[in-house]
Amino acid sequence: VSSGNGKVNENTIRVGYTRLISLTEHAPYNKIQSYIWTSEDPTIASVSEFGTIKGLKPGKTIIHGQYKYNSNYIGSIIVQIY
C-alpha cells in the first residue's frame, strides 16, 4: 500500500476530505476491490471497500489492506487527520 508519490505530508488528510489508496508494484494484485480495508480507529478515519479514506476527526490511525485470497498479504499505512 502506498501513500501516493512519497511526498512529505502525503499521508495527511483534512477532516471531511478523502484520499484514495494506491497500491504499489509489490502488491499481489493491483485491484483495490481484492482487499479488505479496515481502520484501526474508525472514529478518526473511515475506509471504504474501494480504498477511499475519509478524515472524520483529528488524530492518527492505521489503515490496513488484507488481500482477500491470501491472508498473508497485508499492507498498512499511517494516516494523520487534521
Side-chain angles (χ1 to χ4, degrees):
V1 177
S2 170
S3 62
N5 60 12
K7 290 183 180 176
V8 175
N9 296 326
E10 194 67 31
N11 299 341
T12 60
I13 304 172
R14 289 184 180 178
V15 171
Y17 285 73
T18 61
R19 173 152 303 152
L20 182 63
I21 293 172
S22 61
L23 299 171
T24 68
E25 66 276 4
H26 303 292
Y29 191 68
N30 64 359
K31 191 172 183 180
I32 291 285
Q33 295 90 340
S34 294
Y35 296 83
I36 299 168
W37 299 103
T38 57
S39 173
E40 282 193 4
D41 190 338
T43 66
I44 293 174
S46 64
V47 61
S48 76
E49 65 182 300
F50 300 106
T52 302
I53 302 169
K54 182 173 184 177
L56 302 175
K57 72 176 186 180
K60 188 182 286 188
T61 190
I62 301 173
I63 303 296
H64 301 284
Q66 181 177 13
Y67 187 51
K68 289 181 181 179
Y69 308 107
N70 184 339
S71 61
N72 292 322
Y73 292 106
I74 300 172
S76 302
I77 186 170
I78 299 170
V79 293
Q80 177 74 43
I81 310 302
Y82 68 101

